[in-house]
């Protein structure tokens, strides 16, 4: 059959994504993948330089997604199916363009780990993320803020005269447009993926890209890559060079994902000139291989391991009784701690290919690593020669500028706003004015008229923009309270904290709505280690929100939950258990029953000296829906309550206890 592209609907049990958190993300990132600056001295010079190149301090201007739940219901998801007589790829344009499934028709094998549910969890830079398939990570170290966001999608002529699917968006952490072109030649076992990232600005931009591929794990599943060494990151914030295969006490081979005790990353040291590839093959030598043109140099294995914490996370991200997964990955740099400079007006582009691979299982699982690698690479050369990947890239590259045809999905309006502001010419990735929506409306007025409009009704403030261009416009706009609020957020993002505080204090003088400004000042005090002042400001902000709150709608409920949680935490930090209890009592009952707030209640009870009641909260059982990757709060709080072993349902340890 000729390659076809069609719309489809995929129905999965899905947890509700919930509303955006309306409080601007002023707090520093809690991303796990960081190392101490002193440890960089032992790293290769180029790696150390890229690790230190413009790391993010916050996820502004993106909002946090932490309002999701774990009560799953059948949910219809828009999908795009790309299919020939060999392969069927299912893409979810509304969820970051994730490739949900890659089905090899001649063998009937699913090549990816296809999650049977869609369960949001706190792994993305801005919160909500879900496991499975192939995800496109752009922005900064960590899972992209677009994990659960819609992308633009359309049909584009493919290099062979058929059709391909283009996904594109404006990545807001780095202010960069990007595109992902999915192309399946009519007689091919391999899905080609052309990626392009452009820098339309007059300054050098830090770029991050990792393609994360979830593959089924098994006791005899092995991950192979063309490397004899790797950089190991074990969630203890250290990066060390280790041999591949990776022995522990000379007995454990970590190229088998289930043979580790704790989650870990292995970034392979692929030699210059070597073909870029990584494969996951089962006990019979069957599985998936990913290869690319040379620009995409990095390859990585992420494993959950066989320990209790890793298995609990696997259950958390899907459902008990289903097969687990590991991730094989490909990136622009050697490790995920690095950001690569992209010069003004320049672009990065490359081609990736995904498909089935079969190799001799005796060689793949033999003790001779060089032989296992050689066998895998030879089978890849037969299935898809390196020259064919280079030729596919050369054929795709002229198509990258082709204007899209039939629209398949619509992303956000932020790209349209930025293109209108910067007057950028971006062939192949149009950001139409028709995509501008309610969130962009006040910023469009600032751009066109020089004033930031006051809201038409009393609602929590909309999203802030923080790039230098928007900050300059806010500084020259009339100094209304809402303008001062957004200006302070932009100044905070730029590192000018003293000026941000002054802007927020000026806004307070005439502000009809005080709590957003008070909360910003509270964060500033907390970051400045002024615990008592932070507690005072949080208490005042929460009281003001309660007085101003107009209804029980989604926006106000999200604001009450977010501010109430921060206020209780700040008051507990300041040793004010009675004031924290008052905030807790003022929260709507439905919020107090959420897992995150049950945990907060246990902390509050412990601060009040009622250890038995705090223990009872654990005994009754709760689930912290937005438990952060790497968080140790459950472990730490349990240890304060009892010497008993941590119950399995609360064991999410990602590293050994120190």
């Amino acid at each position: 059959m000729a390659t076809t592209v069609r719309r489809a609907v995929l129905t999965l049990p899905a947890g509700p994504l919930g509303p955006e958190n309306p409080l601007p993300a002023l707090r520093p990132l809690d991303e796990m993948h960081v190392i101490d600056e002193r440890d960089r001295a032992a790293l290769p010079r180029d790696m150390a330089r890229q690790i230190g190149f413009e790391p993010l301090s916050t996820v502004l201007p993106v909002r946090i997604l932490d309002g999701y739940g774990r009560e799953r219901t059948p949910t219809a998801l828009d999908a795009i199916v790309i299919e020939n007589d060999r392969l069927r790829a299912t893409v979810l344009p509304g969820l970051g363009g994730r490739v949900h499934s890659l089905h090899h028709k001649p063998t009937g094998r699913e090549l990816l780990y296809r999650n049977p549910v869609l369960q949001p969890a706190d792994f993305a830079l801005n919160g909500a993320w879900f496991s499975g398939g192939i995800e496109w990570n752009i922005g900064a170290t960590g899972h992209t803020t677009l994990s659960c966001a819609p992308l633009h999608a359309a049909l584009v002529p493919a290099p062979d005269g058929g059709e391909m699917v283009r996904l594109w968006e404006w990545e807001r952490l780095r202010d960069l447009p990007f595109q992902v072109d999915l192309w399946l030649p009519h007689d091919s076992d391999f899905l080609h993926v052309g990626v392009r990232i452009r820098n339309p600005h007059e300054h050098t931009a830090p770029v991050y890209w990792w393609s994360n591929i979830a593959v089924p794990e098994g006791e005899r599943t092995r991950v192979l890559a063309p490397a004899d060494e790797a950089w190991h990151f074990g969630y203890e914030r250290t990066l060390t060079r280790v041999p591949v295969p990776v022995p522990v006490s000379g007995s454990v081979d970590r190229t088998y994902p289930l043979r580790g005790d704790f989650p870990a990353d292995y970034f392979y040291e692929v030699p210059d000139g070597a073909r870029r590839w990584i494969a996951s093959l089962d006990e019979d030598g069957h599985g998936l291989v990913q290869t690319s043109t040379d620009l995409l140099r990095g390859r990585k294995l992420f494993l959950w391991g066989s320990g209790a914490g890793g298995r609990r996370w696997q259950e958390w991200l899907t459902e008990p009784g289903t097969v687990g997964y590991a991730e094989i990955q490909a990136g622009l740099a050697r490790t995920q701690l690095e950001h690569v400079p992209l010069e003004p007006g320049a672009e990065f582009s490359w081609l990736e290919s995904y498909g089935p691979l079969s190799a001799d299982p005796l060689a793949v699982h033999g003790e001779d690593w060089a032989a296992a690698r050689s066998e895998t690479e030879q089978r890849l050369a037969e299935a898809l020669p390196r020259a064919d990947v280079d030729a596919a890239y050369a054929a795709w590259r002229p198509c990258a500028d082709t204007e899209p045809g039939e629209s398949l999905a619509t992303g956000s309006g932020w790209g349209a706003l930025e293109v209108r502001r910067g007057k950028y010419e971006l062939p192949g990735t149009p950001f139409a004015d028709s995509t501008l929506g309610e969130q962009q409306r006040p910023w469009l007025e600032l751009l066109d008229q020089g004033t930031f409009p006051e809201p038409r009704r009393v609602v929590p403030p909309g999203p802030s923009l923080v790039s230098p261009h928007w900050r300059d416009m806010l500084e020259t706009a009339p100094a209304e309270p809402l303008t001062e609020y957004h200006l302070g957020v932009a100044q905070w993002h730029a590192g000018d904290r003293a000026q941000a505080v002054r802007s927020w204090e000026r806004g307070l003088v005439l502000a009809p709505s005080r709590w957003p400004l008070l909360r910003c000042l509270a964060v500033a005090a907390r970051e400045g280690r002024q615990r008592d002042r932070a507690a005072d400001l949080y208490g005042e902000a929460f009281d003001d929100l309660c007085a101003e709150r107009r209804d029980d709608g989604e926006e106000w409920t999200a604001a009450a939950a977010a501010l109430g949680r921060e206020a209780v935490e700040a008051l507990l930090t300041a040793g004010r258990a009675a004031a924290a209890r008052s905030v807790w009592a003022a929260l709507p009952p439905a919020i107090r029953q959420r897992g995150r707030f049950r945990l907060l209640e246990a902390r509050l009870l412990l601060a009040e000296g009622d250890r038995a009641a705090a223990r009872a909260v654990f005994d009754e059982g709760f689930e912290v829906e937005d438990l952060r990757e790497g968080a140790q709060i459950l472990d730490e709080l349990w240890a304060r309550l009892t010497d008993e072993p941590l119950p399995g349902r609360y064991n999410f340890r990602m590293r050994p206890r120190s």
Side-chain angles (χ1 to χ4, degrees), residues 294-568:
D294 288 354
L295 183 67
L296 202 67
R297 68 175 295 185
R299 292 299 185 275
K300 173 194 164 183
L301 163 65
F302 166 76
L303 57 87
W304 283 109
S306 58
R311 305 329 295 170
R312 182 68 179 107
W313 273 118
Q314 293 262 27
E315 290 181 352
W316 186 255
L317 297 172
T318 176
E319 56 186 12
T322 57
V323 65
Y325 75 97
E327 286 182 0
I328 57 176
Q329 306 181 14
L332 281 174
R334 279 184 287 186
T335 74
Q336 288 176 329
L337 289 73
E338 301 169 67
H339 299 95
V340 182
L342 181 58
E343 298 302 316
E347 62 182 53
F348 289 140
S349 66
W350 65 90
L351 186 115
E352 307 179 43
S353 298
Y354 297 82
L357 192 70
S358 293
D360 179 1
L362 294 178
V364 167
H365 297 290
E367 294 184 4
D368 188 334
W369 173 247
R373 278 178 41 196
S374 177
E375 164 66 12
T376 307
E377 190 153 16
Q378 180 59 37
R379 299 288 81 79
L380 171 59
E382 294 169 0
L384 185 65
R386 186 177 187 178
D388 287 4
V389 175
D390 292 336
Y393 172 72
W396 165 75
R397 193 61 188 81
C399 301
D401 283 349
T402 302
E403 289 304 308
E406 179 187 349
S407 175
L408 300 173
T410 303
S412 77
W414 296 113
L417 182 67
E418 293 299 334
V419 167
R420 187 157 171 173
R421 183 201 59 76
K423 298 180 173 57
Y424 301 124
E425 296 292 335
L426 299 169
T429 54
F431 293 94
D433 281 354
S434 59
T435 63
L436 293 165
E438 186 62 26
Q439 287 192 333
Q440 292 82 43
R441 184 190 62 78
W443 297 96
L444 193 60
E445 186 168 329
L446 175 64
L447 178 63
D448 292 343
Q449 301 180 27
T451 59
F452 197 92
E454 290 297 306
R456 298 170 184 169
R457 58 191 178 93
V458 178
V459 292
S464 298
L465 295 183
V466 297
S467 69
H469 310 284
W470 294 108
R471 188 172 72 247
D472 289 346
M473 281 185 269
L474 289 166
E475 286 176 346
T476 58
E480 300 296 334
L482 188 56
T483 306
E484 296 286 5
Y485 163 81
H486 288 297
L487 175 58
V489 173
Q491 291 164 334
W492 181 270
H493 176 262
D496 192 350
R497 297 190 169 187
Q499 189 58 56
V501 167
R502 284 193 287 271
S503 294
W504 292 326
E505 288 175 340
R506 283 197 305 268
L508 267 180
V509 176
L510 297 175
S513 180
R514 293 171 51 83
W515 67 265
L517 292 152
L518 289 167
R519 182 265 175 178
C520 289
L521 291 168
V523 173
R526 188 170 182 178
E527 290 302 301
R529 302 183 184 277
Q530 299 172 289
R531 293 183 177 183
D532 287 332
R533 176 167 168 75
D536 290 341
L537 288 165
Y538 266 121
E540 188 179 353
F542 186 76
D543 289 344
D544 189 71
L545 182 146
C546 291
E548 184 179 293
R549 182 174 176 176
R550 292 296 187 266
D551 53 49
D552 293 324
E554 189 175 75
E555 283 183 297
W556 284 108
T557 299
L563 184 55
R565 172 181 166 182
E566 289 186 12
V568 171

Side-chain angles (χ1 to χ4, degrees), residues 37-116:
E37 189 170 345
R38 293 170 296 181
D39 294 334
R40 294 183 201 165
L43 301 177
R45 189 171 300 175
D46 63 329
M47 183 187 292
R49 183 171 57 250
Q50 291 186 163
I51 288 174
F53 179 48
E54 295 194 27
L56 284 184
S57 58
T58 75
V59 296
L60 289 168
V62 178
R63 283 182 153 185
I64 301 296
L65 289 172
D66 59 4
Y68 46 84
R70 295 188 57 81
E71 294 183 5
R72 297 190 285 263
T73 57
T75 303
L77 306 171
D78 289 335
I80 301 170
V81 177
I82 311 167
E83 184 173 14
N84 65 9
D85 59 356
R86 311 287 299 174
L87 209 60
R88 181 171 61 248
T90 303
V91 182
L92 303 178
L95 293 164
R98 183 81 58 103
V99 179
H100 173 73
S101 168
L102 196 59
H103 179 78
H104 189 234
K105 297 162 77 171
T107 60
R109 295 204 313 267
E110 173 59 47
L111 302 180
L112 304 173
Y113 167 72
R114 183 177 56 192
N115 198 333

Side-chain angles (χ1 to χ4, degrees), residues 536-608:
D536 290 341
L537 288 165
Y538 266 121
E540 188 179 353
F542 186 76
D543 289 344
D544 189 71
L545 182 146
C546 291
E548 184 179 293
R549 182 174 176 176
R550 292 296 187 266
D551 53 49
D552 293 324
E554 189 175 75
E555 283 183 297
W556 284 108
T557 299
L563 184 55
R565 172 181 166 182
E566 289 186 12
V568 171
E569 290 174 344
L571 288 162
L572 288 177
T573 299
R576 301 185 190 180
R581 173 62 68 183
S582 296
V583 172
W584 169 264
L587 288 167
I591 293 176
R592 295 201 300 266
Q593 290 306 308
R594 296 179 186 176
R596 168 61 66 180
F597 289 85
R598 294 284 287 154
L599 174 63
L600 199 56
E601 182 183 22
R603 290 177 58 193
L604 177 56
L605 288 164
L606 189 60
E608 292 170 331

